[in-house]
Amino acid sequence: DAITATGLLLGCGRGNQWTMAVQSLGDMLSAAVEPSLIVLNAAIVAVERAPMWNQAISMLASVAERRLAPDAQSFTAAIAAARARCRWDIALELLSEMIALSIPPDAVAYNAVIAAGFVRQRWELAVALMEDMARERLQPTSITYTSAMMAAGGAGEWEAALEMLRDCTQRGLQISVPNLWAAMDSCERGSKWELAFHTYDWMGSSGMQPNQQVCDV
């Protein structure tokens, strides 16, 4: 019945059992059981890291097709699916659609779009999105800054990466090892090894234990 099928799909979502989620949703539809928004959201969450990540985008589209109103969880899970395959263009499109529907994105949604863009070195996109977050009175997190700094470093913009690190400290956010690794990696890519060593010393004086990535840089 509907209750049993809903419980099964929610369990698949929590356990990241994406193949079972897709099959369960198909079984519901074959049995003429109309899935609720909760069920579809659970299915999107379950498939967001799956090899067939585009299933999450299709499921989001099916929400509207069934005359259900997608919510923040629907979009955030679909954006996370795009992020997992570094599809910043799709992630940004989903974020724009979310805003157009008057569904306020949270920091998690913004972080996912920024993370999707760092592999493609879309550091200008990261800066623009962080400015959007400020206008929406959303506080960037250390994860936000790590992704943005990695995007800047990958594009050879080591100065921008260090400026982001300074901004992170000025906001009173707790600096993490990934933050400093992103800054050091940016300096290394820009052949600024002195600044990389300075950042490493800062890490030690702050009592943080460098990980293998930091040591490799």
Side-chain angles (χ1 to χ4, degrees), residues 133-153:
M133 291 179 73
R135 281 192 290 271
E136 296 297 327
R137 301 181 183 231
L138 292 173
Q139 175 77 356
T141 67
S142 62
I143 295 174
T144 313
Y145 280 98
T146 297
S147 297
M149 285 190 286
M150 289 174 68

Side-chain angles (χ1 to χ4, degrees), residues 35-47:
S36 65
L37 180 61
I38 294 175
V39 169
L40 289 171
N41 281 351
I44 296 171
V45 170
V47 302

Side-chain angles (χ1 to χ4, degrees), residues 88-102:
W88 65 269
D89 52 339
I90 292 177
L92 183 60
E93 183 180 332
L94 291 171
L95 182 69
S96 299
E97 184 179 348
M98 192 177 184
I99 294 170
L101 291 173
S102 299

